[in-house]
mmCIF file of all heavy atoms in Angstrom:
data_model
loop_
_atom_site.group_PDB
_atom_site.id
_atom_site.type_symbol
_atom_site.label_atom_id
_atom_site.label_comp_id
_atom_site.label_asym_id
_atom_site.label_seq_id
_atom_site.Cartn_x
_atom_site.Cartn_y
_atom_site.Cartn_z
ATOM 1 N N ALA A 1 37.352 187.379 129.775
ATOM 2 C CA ALA A 1 36.817 188.526 130.506
ATOM 3 C C ALA A 1 37.783 189.703 130.472
ATOM 4 O O ALA A 1 37.373 190.861 130.295
ATOM 5 C CB ALA A 1 36.528 188.125 131.955
ATOM 6 N N ILE A 2 39.069 189.413 130.655
ATOM 7 C CA ILE A 2 40.066 190.481 130.603
ATOM 8 C C ILE A 2 40.061 191.166 129.239
ATOM 9 O O ILE A 2 40.263 192.377 129.130
ATOM 10 C CB ILE A 2 41.461 189.900 130.923
ATOM 11 C CG1 ILE A 2 41.510 189.468 132.400
ATOM 12 C CG2 ILE A 2 42.564 190.907 130.630
ATOM 13 C CD1 ILE A 2 42.751 188.710 132.773
ATOM 14 N N ARG A 3 39.797 190.398 128.200
ATOM 15 C CA ARG A 3 39.780 190.945 126.837
ATOM 16 C C ARG A 3 38.503 191.732 126.558
ATOM 17 O O ARG A 3 38.542 192.808 125.947
ATOM 18 C CB ARG A 3 39.914 189.805 125.819
ATOM 19 C CG ARG A 3 40.046 190.274 124.373
ATOM 20 C CD ARG A 3 40.094 189.108 123.415
ATOM 21 N NE ARG A 3 38.824 188.417 123.318
ATOM 22 C CZ ARG A 3 37.821 188.812 122.530
ATOM 23 N NH1 ARG A 3 37.962 189.902 121.782
ATOM 24 N NH2 ARG A 3 36.698 188.128 122.496
ATOM 25 N N VAL A 4 37.356 191.249 127.028
ATOM 26 C CA VAL A 4 36.064 191.792 126.608
ATOM 27 C C VAL A 4 35.508 192.839 127.565
ATOM 28 O O VAL A 4 34.943 193.850 127.136
ATOM 29 C CB VAL A 4 35.047 190.632 126.439
ATOM 30 C CG1 VAL A 4 33.636 191.180 126.206
ATOM 31 C CG2 VAL A 4 35.479 189.732 125.298
ATOM 32 N N TRP A 5 35.648 192.633 128.860
ATOM 33 C CA TRP A 5 34.938 193.466 129.832
ATOM 34 C C TRP A 5 35.282 194.956 129.787
ATOM 35 O O TRP A 5 34.395 195.783 130.021
ATOM 36 C CB TRP A 5 35.161 192.938 131.241
ATOM 37 C CG TRP A 5 34.385 191.677 131.527
ATOM 38 C CD1 TRP A 5 33.708 190.907 130.638
ATOM 39 C CD2 TRP A 5 34.229 191.057 132.801
ATOM 40 N NE1 TRP A 5 33.140 189.833 131.255
ATOM 41 C CE2 TRP A 5 33.439 189.894 132.600
ATOM 42 C CE3 TRP A 5 34.680 191.353 134.075
ATOM 43 C CZ2 TRP A 5 33.097 189.049 133.647
ATOM 44 C CZ3 TRP A 5 34.334 190.508 135.123
ATOM 45 C CH2 TRP A 5 33.553 189.381 134.909
ATOM 46 N N PRO A 6 36.533 195.338 129.551
ATOM 47 C CA PRO A 6 36.809 196.781 129.548
ATOM 48 C C PRO A 6 35.915 197.561 128.585
ATOM 49 O O PRO A 6 35.504 198.684 128.879
ATOM 50 C CB PRO A 6 38.285 196.856 129.146
ATOM 51 C CG PRO A 6 38.861 195.565 129.629
ATOM 52 C CD PRO A 6 37.785 194.545 129.388
ATOM 53 N N ALA A 7 35.611 196.972 127.428
ATOM 54 C CA ALA A 7 34.773 197.657 126.441
ATOM 55 C C ALA A 7 33.296 197.346 126.620
ATOM 56 O O ALA A 7 32.439 198.159 126.252
ATOM 57 C CB ALA A 7 35.212 197.262 125.021
ATOM 58 N N ASP A 8 32.980 196.180 127.188
ATOM 59 C CA ASP A 8 31.577 195.767 127.289
ATOM 60 C C ASP A 8 31.353 195.021 128.599
ATOM 61 O O ASP A 8 31.180 193.812 128.621
ATOM 62 C CB ASP A 8 31.218 194.872 126.095
ATOM 63 C CG ASP A 8 29.743 194.501 126.070
ATOM 64 O OD1 ASP A 8 28.945 195.207 126.714
ATOM 65 O OD2 ASP A 8 29.397 193.489 125.410
ATOM 66 N N PRO A 9 31.343 195.722 129.731
ATOM 67 C CA PRO A 9 31.193 195.049 131.029
ATOM 68 C C PRO A 9 29.818 194.412 131.171
ATOM 69 O O PRO A 9 28.804 195.025 130.804
ATOM 70 C CB PRO A 9 31.388 196.185 132.046
ATOM 71 C CG PRO A 9 31.075 197.426 131.273
ATOM 72 C CD PRO A 9 31.497 197.178 129.862
ATOM 73 N N PRO A 10 29.732 193.187 131.686
ATOM 74 C CA PRO A 10 28.429 192.508 131.815
ATOM 75 C C PRO A 10 27.653 193.029 133.019
ATOM 76 O O PRO A 10 28.224 193.510 133.996
ATOM 77 C CB PRO A 10 28.828 191.044 132.018
ATOM 78 C CG PRO A 10 30.153 191.127 132.700
ATOM 79 C CD PRO A 10 30.851 192.331 132.127
ATOM 80 N N ARG A 11 26.332 192.896 132.966
ATOM 81 C CA ARG A 11 25.509 193.282 134.110
ATOM 82 C C ARG A 11 25.666 192.276 135.247
ATOM 83 O O ARG A 11 25.572 192.625 136.411
ATOM 84 C CB ARG A 11 24.033 193.378 133.692
ATOM 85 C CG ARG A 11 23.697 194.565 132.799
ATOM 86 C CD ARG A 11 22.198 194.736 132.652
ATOM 87 N NE ARG A 11 21.576 193.540 132.059
ATOM 88 C CZ ARG A 11 21.455 193.353 130.756
ATOM 89 N NH1 ARG A 11 21.894 194.278 129.911
ATOM 90 N NH2 ARG A 11 20.891 192.260 130.290
ATOM 91 N N ASP A 12 25.898 191.022 134.887
ATOM 92 C CA ASP A 12 26.030 189.957 135.885
ATOM 93 C C ASP A 12 27.368 189.242 135.651
ATOM 94 O O ASP A 12 27.442 188.286 134.895
ATOM 95 C CB ASP A 12 24.867 188.969 135.759
ATOM 96 C CG ASP A 12 24.995 187.785 136.700
ATOM 97 O OD1 ASP A 12 25.725 187.919 137.710
ATOM 98 O OD2 ASP A 12 24.405 186.729 136.416
ATOM 99 N N PRO A 13 28.445 189.712 136.266
ATOM 100 C CA PRO A 13 29.777 189.139 136.004
ATOM 101 C C PRO A 13 29.849 187.637 136.246
ATOM 102 O O PRO A 13 30.427 186.894 135.455
ATOM 103 C CB PRO A 13 30.683 189.906 136.971
ATOM 104 C CG PRO A 13 29.973 191.202 137.202
ATOM 105 C CD PRO A 13 28.521 190.862 137.193
ATOM 106 N N LYS A 14 29.248 187.163 137.344
ATOM 107 C CA LYS A 14 29.334 185.734 137.637
ATOM 108 C C LYS A 14 28.578 184.917 136.593
ATOM 109 O O LYS A 14 29.075 183.887 136.116
ATOM 110 C CB LYS A 14 28.776 185.449 139.040
ATOM 111 C CG LYS A 14 28.843 183.972 139.408
ATOM 112 C CD LYS A 14 28.319 183.729 140.813
ATOM 113 C CE LYS A 14 28.263 182.237 141.115
ATOM 114 N NZ LYS A 14 27.723 181.952 142.465
ATOM 115 N N GLY A 15 27.383 185.369 136.236
ATOM 116 C CA GLY A 15 26.622 184.651 135.216
ATOM 117 C C GLY A 15 27.363 184.593 133.889
ATOM 118 O O GLY A 15 27.368 183.572 133.195
ATOM 119 N N TRP A 16 28.013 185.704 133.515
ATOM 120 C CA TRP A 16 28.796 185.746 132.270
ATOM 121 C C TRP A 16 29.928 184.731 132.327
ATOM 122 O O TRP A 16 30.158 183.971 131.378
ATOM 123 C CB TRP A 16 29.342 187.156 132.102
ATOM 124 C CG TRP A 16 29.980 187.458 130.781
ATOM 125 C CD1 TRP A 16 29.413 188.087 129.703
ATOM 126 C CD2 TRP A 16 31.334 187.153 130.387
ATOM 127 N NE1 TRP A 16 30.318 188.195 128.673
ATOM 128 C CE2 TRP A 16 31.508 187.620 129.067
ATOM 129 C CE3 TRP A 16 32.399 186.523 131.017
ATOM 130 C CZ2 TRP A 16 32.712 187.480 128.372
ATOM 131 C CZ3 TRP A 16 33.598 186.370 130.324
ATOM 132 C CH2 TRP A 16 33.750 186.847 129.032
ATOM 133 N N LEU A 17 30.656 184.699 133.451
ATOM 134 C CA LEU A 17 31.792 183.777 133.587
ATOM 135 C C LEU A 17 31.332 182.326 133.556
ATOM 136 O O LEU A 17 31.971 181.471 132.927
ATOM 137 C CB LEU A 17 32.551 184.059 134.884
ATOM 138 C CG LEU A 17 33.415 185.319 134.910
ATOM 139 C CD1 LEU A 17 33.905 185.591 136.330
ATOM 140 C CD2 LEU A 17 34.602 185.193 133.956
ATOM 141 N N VAL A 18 30.218 182.024 134.245
ATOM 142 C CA VAL A 18 29.702 180.654 134.250
ATOM 143 C C VAL A 18 29.340 180.218 132.831
ATOM 144 O O VAL A 18 29.669 179.107 132.391
ATOM 145 C CB VAL A 18 28.485 180.538 135.192
ATOM 146 C CG1 VAL A 18 27.751 179.216 134.960
ATOM 147 C CG2 VAL A 18 28.920 180.646 136.644
ATOM 148 N N THR A 19 28.659 181.090 132.109
ATOM 149 C CA THR A 19 28.236 180.739 130.749
ATOM 150 C C THR A 19 29.431 180.481 129.837
ATOM 151 O O THR A 19 29.487 179.474 129.127
ATOM 152 C CB THR A 19 27.360 181.868 130.156
ATOM 153 O OG1 THR A 19 26.201 182.032 130.969
ATOM 154 C CG2 THR A 19 26.949 181.540 128.742
ATOM 155 N N VAL A 20 30.405 181.381 129.859
ATOM 156 C CA VAL A 20 31.581 181.224 128.997
ATOM 157 C C VAL A 20 32.401 180.005 129.416
ATOM 158 O O VAL A 20 32.836 179.216 128.570
ATOM 159 C CB VAL A 20 32.444 182.500 129.036
ATOM 160 C CG1 VAL A 20 33.743 182.285 128.272
ATOM 161 C CG2 VAL A 20 31.670 183.675 128.441
ATOM 162 N N ALA A 21 32.605 179.829 130.723
ATOM 163 C CA ALA A 21 33.385 178.689 131.199
ATOM 164 C C ALA A 21 32.700 177.373 130.872
ATOM 165 O O ALA A 21 33.345 176.395 130.478
ATOM 166 C CB ALA A 21 33.612 178.802 132.703
ATOM 167 N N TRP A 22 31.373 177.344 131.010
ATOM 168 C CA TRP A 22 30.639 176.118 130.685
ATOM 169 C C TRP A 22 30.764 175.778 129.206
ATOM 170 O O TRP A 22 30.946 174.616 128.839
ATOM 171 C CB TRP A 22 29.175 176.286 131.082
ATOM 172 C CG TRP A 22 28.351 175.031 130.895
ATOM 173 C CD1 TRP A 22 27.429 174.801 129.939
ATOM 174 C CD2 TRP A 22 28.428 173.861 131.700
ATOM 175 N NE1 TRP A 22 26.906 173.545 130.079
ATOM 176 C CE2 TRP A 22 27.498 172.945 131.161
ATOM 177 C CE3 TRP A 22 29.181 173.499 132.812
ATOM 178 C CZ2 TRP A 22 27.304 171.683 131.713
ATOM 179 C CZ3 TRP A 22 28.987 172.243 133.366
ATOM 180 C CH2 TRP A 22 28.064 171.348 132.815
ATOM 181 N N ARG A 23 30.711 176.785 128.359
ATOM 182 C CA ARG A 23 30.876 176.537 126.921
ATOM 183 C C ARG A 23 32.286 176.017 126.624
ATOM 184 O O ARG A 23 32.458 175.121 125.791
ATOM 185 C CB ARG A 23 30.598 177.812 126.140
ATOM 186 C CG ARG A 23 29.119 178.179 126.093
ATOM 187 C CD ARG A 23 28.894 179.553 125.511
ATOM 188 N NE ARG A 23 27.473 179.886 125.438
ATOM 189 C CZ ARG A 23 27.001 181.102 125.299
ATOM 190 N NH1 ARG A 23 27.830 182.134 125.227
ATOM 191 N NH2 ARG A 23 25.700 181.305 125.236
ATOM 192 N N ARG A 24 33.292 176.590 127.304
ATOM 193 C CA ARG A 24 34.659 176.118 127.103
ATOM 194 C C ARG A 24 34.781 174.659 127.553
ATOM 195 O O ARG A 24 35.450 173.850 126.904
ATOM 196 C CB ARG A 24 35.655 176.975 127.896
ATOM 197 C CG ARG A 24 35.774 178.398 127.405
ATOM 198 C CD ARG A 24 36.432 178.467 126.026
ATOM 199 N NE ARG A 24 36.804 179.818 125.688
ATOM 200 C CZ ARG A 24 36.003 180.735 125.160
ATOM 201 N NH1 ARG A 24 34.735 180.414 124.904
ATOM 202 N NH2 ARG A 24 36.423 181.952 124.887
ATOM 203 N N PHE A 25 34.136 174.334 128.660
ATOM 204 C CA PHE A 25 34.179 172.950 129.131
ATOM 205 C C PHE A 25 33.531 172.000 128.123
ATOM 206 O O PHE A 25 34.060 170.929 127.815
ATOM 207 C CB PHE A 25 33.473 172.823 130.489
ATOM 208 C CG PHE A 25 33.120 171.398 130.826
ATOM 209 C CD1 PHE A 25 34.103 170.484 131.165
ATOM 210 C CD2 PHE A 25 31.810 170.967 130.759
ATOM 211 C CE1 PHE A 25 33.789 169.166 131.446
ATOM 212 C CE2 PHE A 25 31.482 169.654 131.027
ATOM 213 C CZ PHE A 25 32.470 168.754 131.371
ATOM 214 N N LEU A 26 32.368 172.398 127.612
ATOM 215 C CA LEU A 26 31.679 171.545 126.652
ATOM 216 C C LEU A 26 32.503 171.360 125.377
ATOM 217 O O LEU A 26 32.560 170.262 124.806
ATOM 218 C CB LEU A 26 30.309 172.142 126.322
ATOM 219 C CG LEU A 26 29.285 172.111 127.464
ATOM 220 C CD1 LEU A 26 27.993 172.782 127.018
ATOM 221 C CD2 LEU A 26 29.026 170.688 127.916
ATOM 222 N N ASP A 27 33.172 172.423 124.937
ATOM 223 C CA ASP A 27 34.037 172.301 123.762
ATOM 224 C C ASP A 27 35.140 171.277 124.004
ATOM 225 O O ASP A 27 35.445 170.447 123.139
ATOM 226 C CB ASP A 27 34.649 173.664 123.421
ATOM 227 C CG ASP A 27 33.630 174.638 122.848
ATOM 228 O OD1 ASP A 27 32.548 174.179 122.423
ATOM 229 O OD2 ASP A 27 33.913 175.859 122.852
ATOM 230 N N ALA A 28 35.744 171.341 125.206
ATOM 231 C CA ALA A 28 36.819 170.401 125.525
ATOM 232 C C ALA A 28 36.285 168.981 125.636
ATOM 233 O O ALA A 28 36.937 168.018 125.204
ATOM 234 C CB ALA A 28 37.489 170.812 126.834
ATOM 235 N N ALA A 29 35.085 168.837 126.196
ATOM 236 C CA ALA A 29 34.497 167.509 126.358
ATOM 237 C C ALA A 29 34.205 166.861 125.011
ATOM 238 O O ALA A 29 34.443 165.667 124.813
ATOM 239 C CB ALA A 29 33.219 167.611 127.187
ATOM 240 N N ARG A 30 33.698 167.665 124.071
ATOM 241 C CA ARG A 30 33.395 167.122 122.737
ATOM 242 C C ARG A 30 34.670 166.700 122.027
ATOM 243 O O ARG A 30 34.677 165.724 121.273
ATOM 244 C CB ARG A 30 32.662 168.176 121.912
ATOM 245 C CG ARG A 30 31.289 168.578 122.450
ATOM 246 C CD ARG A 30 30.574 169.506 121.463
ATOM 247 N NE ARG A 30 29.418 170.137 122.080
ATOM 248 C CZ ARG A 30 29.401 171.371 122.539
ATOM 249 N NH1 ARG A 30 30.482 172.128 122.440
ATOM 250 N NH2 ARG A 30 28.318 171.863 123.082
ATOM 251 N N ALA A 31 35.751 167.466 122.233
ATOM 252 C CA ALA A 31 37.005 167.181 121.535
ATOM 253 C C ALA A 31 37.731 165.963 122.092
ATOM 254 O O ALA A 31 38.582 165.399 121.423
ATOM 255 C CB ALA A 31 37.917 168.403 121.615
ATOM 256 N N ASP A 32 37.385 165.560 123.305
ATOM 257 C CA ASP A 32 38.095 164.466 123.955
ATOM 258 C C ASP A 32 37.252 163.198 123.875
ATOM 259 O O ASP A 32 36.199 163.093 124.490
ATOM 260 C CB ASP A 32 38.385 164.838 125.406
ATOM 261 C CG ASP A 32 39.317 163.850 126.086
ATOM 262 O OD1 ASP A 32 39.498 162.737 125.563
ATOM 263 O OD2 ASP A 32 39.855 164.202 127.146
ATOM 264 N N ALA A 33 37.748 162.216 123.132
ATOM 265 C CA ALA A 33 36.973 160.985 122.935
ATOM 266 C C ALA A 33 36.709 160.267 124.251
ATOM 267 O O ALA A 33 35.673 159.599 124.402
ATOM 268 C CB ALA A 33 37.723 160.062 121.988
#
């Protein structure tokens, strides 16, 4: 968010954070046997 928002602020900050964080979690879950 710190990297992206200054140039492209989201309409729904919480929804954006949930979506990105959930994807990061899923990536970590797949990588961990």
Side-chain angles (χ1 to χ4, degrees):
I2 292 172
R3 186 183 70 83
V4 171
W5 286 10
D8 185 20
R11 289 191 300 272
D12 176 22
K14 180 179 174 181
W16 190 98
L17 286 170
V18 167
T19 299
V20 174
W22 185 253
R23 287 171 179 162
R24 293 292 192 276
F25 163 71
L26 291 178
D27 289 343
R30 296 187 193 101
D32 189 344

